[in-house]
Amino acid sequence: MARVAVVTGGTRGIGAAISKALKAAGYKVAANYAGNDEAAQKFKAETGINVYKWDVSSFDACAAGLKQVEADLGPIEVLINNAGITRDATLHRMKPEQWTQVINTNLGSLFNMCRNVIEGMRERKFGRIVNISSINGQKGQIGQCNYSAAKAGEIGFTKALAQESARAGITVNAIAPGYINTEMVQAVPKDVLEKSILPLIPIGRLGEPEEIARCVVFLASDDAGLITGSTLTANGGQYFT
C-alpha cells in the first residue's frame, strides 16, 4: 500500500516540486497551503494531488487538517515541513509582529505538525520527517534575524527529535537549500542576482526546486533508514558546514 505523505506549503515553489516528486515515487500526497486558493486549485487540477488549506502556525488548525488528511488518505507516515514566510527587516527596524509571524510559521509549525503525527508514527514503528531549513539558518543573513533564527531552530529541533524517535523507527532530517530558482528569487532584480548572488555560488547557478525534491524523496525512502539527525546542505558550494 502506498504511504501517505504530507507536504506543508506544498502547492508552490519548492513545496510543489516536493509534492510532485513524492507522487511520482508512489506516495499518496496531501499538499497543504495557507491562503492562495487560485494557485492551489490550479496545482490540484494539473497534478491530481489533494490540497488542504490550513494555517500551520495554529496547533488546532494542524490537528484538524491532519485529521482530515488521515480520514481521506490513511495514516500519515511521511511529513515534509516546508511551509515558510519572510518578513525581512534589520533588527533595529523590525516590528514585534514581523518577529512572531516568522517564528510561529517557520519554527512553531514544526511542533504543531510533528506533535500531531508523532504518536501515530511511534505506534506504527515507522516515520519519515524532513524539515526544510535554509542556508541562512546556518550562516545568518542581514535583515533576517527572524528567519535565520527560525531556520537555525529547525536544525536544533531536527537533532533533538531524531534522538527521541530513533528507536521507534522514525528518522528526522533537515535540508538546508541555498538560492533556489523560485518565484521569490526570480523577483530579485536581474542586476542584483548577477552581481551579488551568483558570484557567491561556486557552481555558478541557482538550484532548481526539483533538485531539493530529489533530496526529500531519498530521505523519505527506506534506503535512507540509517540517516537521522542530519542536515543535508544543498547550496552549490556557497556555504560548507
Side-chain angles (χ1 to χ4, degrees):
M1 182 179 293
R3 288 173 174 158
V4 176
V6 174
V7 183
T8 67
T11 63
R12 299 172 65 192
I14 292 173
I18 293 169
S19 295
K20 289 187 281 189
L22 286 170
K23 182 185 179 185
Y27 294 84
K28 290 192 288 186
V29 179
N32 154 268
Y33 73 102
N36 192 327
D37 295 314
E38 182 178 353
Q41 292 306 314
K42 181 180 179 182
F43 175 82
K44 180 179 180 180
E46 291 175 349
T47 65
I49 293 172
N50 290 338
V51 297
Y52 296 83
K53 183 179 181 179
W54 75 79
D55 177 6
V56 294
S57 71
S58 164
F59 183 85
D60 290 341
C62 289
L66 291 166
K67 184 177 180 179
Q68 184 61 55
V69 170
E70 293 200 320
D72 293 346
L73 304 179
I76 295 163
E77 295 181 288
V78 176
L79 171 61
I80 315 300
N81 288 305
N82 167 74
I85 62 172
T86 56
R87 298 289 186 269
D88 294 352
T90 52
L91 188 66
H92 64 283
R93 292 176 176 154
M94 187 176 291
K95 298 176 181 178
E97 57 267 28
Q98 291 175 295
W99 173 266
T100 55
Q101 286 170 0
V102 169
I103 295 298
N104 290 346
T105 297
N106 296 15
L107 181 57
S109 62
L110 268 63
F111 173 81
N112 297 338
M113 294 293 292
C114 291
R115 183 64 184 85
N116 279 296
V117 301
I118 198 69
E119 291 185 61
M121 289 181 175
R122 292 178 69 89
E123 289 170 6
R124 293 186 295 272
K125 299 297 183 184
F126 180 86
R128 293 285 187 266
I129 297 172
V130 182
N131 301 317
I132 307 301
S133 181
S134 168
I135 185 175
N136 292 342
Q138 297 173 304
K139 72 175 186 61
Q141 179 61 38
I142 294 170
Q144 289 195 328
C145 284
N146 49 5
Y147 185 83
S148 294
K151 291 300 182 179
E154 288 187 28
I155 294 173
F157 180 99
T158 296
K159 292 177 180 179
L161 185 58
Q163 293 179 63
E164 293 179 5
S165 306
R167 290 187 179 275
I170 303 164
T171 66
V172 189
N173 292 288
I175 298 173
Y179 284 92
I180 306 300
N181 189 24
T182 61
E183 290 179 19
M184 183 172 67
V185 173
Q186 290 167 4
V188 175
K190 185 177 180 181
D191 61 325
V192 174
L193 187 66
E194 292 180 350
K195 294 178 181 179
S196 301
I197 295 177
L198 290 178
L200 299 176
I201 306 173
I203 66 170
R205 66 171 177 84
L206 300 174
E208 295 297 331
E210 292 75 16
E211 293 179 294
I212 305 304
R214 288 194 287 271
C215 296
V216 170
V217 171
F218 170 66
L219 289 174
S221 72
D222 289 341
D223 291 339
L226 185 64
I227 303 172
T228 193
S230 294
T231 299
L232 178 55
T233 297
N235 61 36
Q238 185 179 352
Y239 185 77
F240 299 141
T241 58

